[in-house]
Amino acid sequence: NYVGAWLNLSLTFERQDRMEEAIGIIEKALDSNGNSPDLWFRLAGYLYNSGKVQQAYVFIEKALEMNPTRYTELVAYLPELKSESRFIELLEIYNKLE
């Protein structure tokens, strides 16, 4: 149940261009750690990089609902989000709710 270990393991696969396996690792981690926004953000990042942008945004929103301040690692992984209006709008919405 150690979230950091799951994240590191998934990153190993991601760096080997084995994105589907990285996604699978995070999905498995979510089975027992579904309340971790870090896992949801990571899953969203992997999906986004895999071209599954719509699905990624579903998980970005889920993670923001859990904790609207934990998105910094996602932006470090996907810096292009800083200029995406959809992402900026979600940040504004969830930060106002906090």
Side-chain angles (χ1 to χ4, degrees), residues 64-98:
L64 287 171
E65 287 173 5
M66 292 177 178
N67 188 329
T69 63
R70 300 285 298 178
Y71 67 89
T72 54
E73 284 190 42
L74 177 65
V75 172
Y77 181 70
L78 296 169
E80 61 267 28
L81 289 177
K82 290 188 278 188
S83 61
E84 273 196 23
S85 60
R86 184 175 178 185
F87 183 72
I88 294 166
E89 285 176 32
L90 285 175
L91 287 180
E92 289 173 358
I93 290 168
Y94 286 98
N95 281 316
K96 285 180 185 175
L97 294 176
E98 190 177 42

Side-chain angles (χ1 to χ4, degrees), residues 20 23 27 40 43-48 50-62 86:
E20 289 305 315
I23 290 169
E27 289 173 338
W40 289 106
L43 179 58
Y46 290 164
L47 290 167
Y48 190 97
S50 296
K52 300 172 184 174
V53 175
Q54 290 297 96
Q55 190 177 6
Y57 268 102
V58 169
F59 297 129
I60 288 170
E61 192 161 0
K62 182 173 183 66
R86 184 175 178 185

Side-chain angles (χ1 to χ4, degrees), residues 9-27:
L9 180 59
S10 74
L11 191 58
T12 301
F13 286 101
E14 188 267 347
R15 288 187 175 158
Q16 296 174 9
D17 292 323
R18 296 166 62 184
M19 193 63 78
E20 289 305 315
E21 290 161 292
I23 290 169
I25 294 292
I26 296 299
E27 289 173 338

